[in-house]
Structures are given as C-alpha cells and as structure tokens.
Amino acid sequence: MPINFNKSEGLIPVIIQDFQTLQVLMLGYMNDEAYEKTKSEKRVTFFSRSKNRLWTKGETSGNFLEVVSIYKDCDDDTILIMAKPKGPTCHNGTDSCFATTNETTFLYQLENTLKARIESNDPNSYTVSLVQKGINKVAQKVGEEAVELVIEAKDDNPDLFLNEAADLMYHYLLLLQVKGFSLNDVEAILKERNRVK
C-alpha cells in the first residue's frame, strides 16, 4: 500500500532514528513532495509547517540526516527513517531533539578512533606505524593475534584469553579500515545471513 498523505491534510509524522544506536533523534512532518525528495536524494527533507516550504535537515548547518532505510507503519500514515546523522540533530546543538545523548557502542567509537589515528599520520602512533607497513603486515598481525587467542583458549587464564581477544578485535577493526570497510558492512552480511536461515 502507498503512504496515505490524505489522513492529516497532506502531512504525515516522520520519526528519525539513528541506524547504529537506534536512538530516536527527532520527529518531523512530510508531504508527498518531501517524501519523494527524501527517497531520491537519500537525505531527509521535511515539510516545514512554520516556513510553509520543503526543508532539508542540515541545509544551513551541514548536519544532514543521510537515509539508510525507510519504513511505513501498519496504517500507512507514519514513517520511520533510519538515518546516519552528520552532526548534532537538534538546532540547540544536542544529539537529539529529546535531550538524550546518542552514543554508539564502544566498538564503533574505537572504529572512529582508528580512522582518526590513521588520518592523523602521527609517527608516534602504533596504529599509524602498522598501517604504513602495508596491508600484508596488518593482515599478518590479525593472523598472529588469532593464533594467540586460540592458544589462550586452551588454557585456563581468563585474563590472558580476554586480552588476546581484545588484541584480535583491535587489529581486525584496523584491517577493515585499511581495506576500506567498516563494522556496518560486516553487520549487513550477518543480518542477511540471519534472514536466510
């Protein structure tokens, strides 16, 4: 069924949710034109009731909401958009319009830290020095850490086992970065496999 814009004088409520954290970021309204623009440009555009015109979130601030997926509710008169925020969502400078903090899980924070370290090109950074040695060295390090984890798994020292698991995770995330991928790419494959089973 198509979305029903006729129930509320041409406007429907749109809930924006962060695709990673699932935090609700804001509520806005769309008419048919805003909805079509959002779908085609992959950036959230609302119909501003105060300005009486289409308004792309971030058009002045640069804090766009990039569309990841769009869902409609069971009555075809409300939309949920999973989005990737490019900065604070609220005009007050907060993560969400509901005064809540939009925190990613630590692994996503670490992924962002690794990306920033690589871009910093800091010669004192272990991450930078490993990346500069090339993809083969990074991949080799993942292999070494995996073997060390397996060895510790056979023993009964939980501290050593967990530390090796952390070392493997760190180097695995670094390898993803060097290859130009992210945790989201891996999650997408796992989600697809989960649907198939």
Side-chain angles (χ1 to χ4, degrees):
M1 290 286 294
I3 294 171
N4 189 343
F5 288 95
N6 298 321
K7 285 187 179 179
S8 302
E9 300 176 3
L11 293 179
I12 61 168
V14 180
I15 301 161
I16 307 297
Q17 193 172 12
D18 187 295
F19 84 109
Q20 279 185 335
T21 66
L22 304 183
Q23 178 73 46
V24 174
L25 301 176
M26 69 176 294
L27 170 73
Y29 293 87
M30 285 185 184
N31 61 8
D32 185 48
E33 188 180 0
Y35 177 64
E36 292 301 325
K37 185 172 190 210
T38 295
K39 286 196 308 183
S40 66
E41 295 183 0
K42 303 293 186 200
R43 280 186 171 163
V44 175
T45 294
F46 297 107
F47 181 83
S48 171
R49 295 169 297 166
S50 58
K51 299 172 185 172
N52 198 32
R53 66 170 177 86
L54 294 186
W55 165 66
T56 299
K57 176 71 182 82
E59 65 187 24
T60 55
S61 67
N63 297 331
F64 296 103
L65 292 168
E66 295 186 352
V67 175
V68 175
S69 54
I70 300 175
Y71 304 93
K72 60 187 178 76
D73 77 340
C74 56
D75 293 322
D76 304 315
D77 61 0
T78 303
I79 295 174
L80 170 65
I81 295 181
M82 306 301 285
K84 181 177 184 180
K86 293 294 188 180
T89 299
C90 185
H91 68 280
N92 290 326
T94 55
D95 290 343
S96 85
C97 293
F98 301 100
T100 55
T101 302
N102 187 24
E103 293 184 356
T104 57
T105 63
F106 179 75
L107 286 181
Y108 287 99
Q109 292 172 14
L110 179 58
E111 186 176 57
N112 291 332
T113 299
L114 289 173
K115 184 176 181 183
R117 290 255 170 86
I118 293 168
E119 291 171 354
S120 77
N121 221 14
D122 180 356
N124 298 316
S125 165
Y126 167 77
T127 301
V128 171
S129 66
L130 186 57
V131 169
Q132 288 176 343
K133 291 176 183 173
I135 185 72
N136 288 344
K137 188 63 179 174
V138 177
Q140 177 186 339
K141 195 67 180 159
V142 172
E144 290 172 6
E145 297 301 342
V147 169
E148 290 173 10
L149 179 63
V150 170
I151 291 169
E152 290 304 330
K154 294 173 174 273
D155 293 333
D156 292 323
N157 188 324
D159 288 337
L160 289 177
F161 173 76
L162 290 174
N163 273 282
E164 292 301 341
D167 288 347
L168 176 59
M169 184 62 72
Y170 171 88
H171 289 93
Y172 166 68
L173 290 174
L174 183 59
L175 182 60
L176 284 176
Q177 286 288 314
V178 172
K179 291 292 290 181
F181 297 109
S182 70
L183 277 174
N184 287 325
D185 298 315
V186 177
E187 278 188 1
I189 291 171
L190 291 172
K191 287 176 182 175
E192 184 59 34
R193 288 179 182 176
N194 190 49
R195 277 195 287 269
V196 171
K197 292 181 178 179

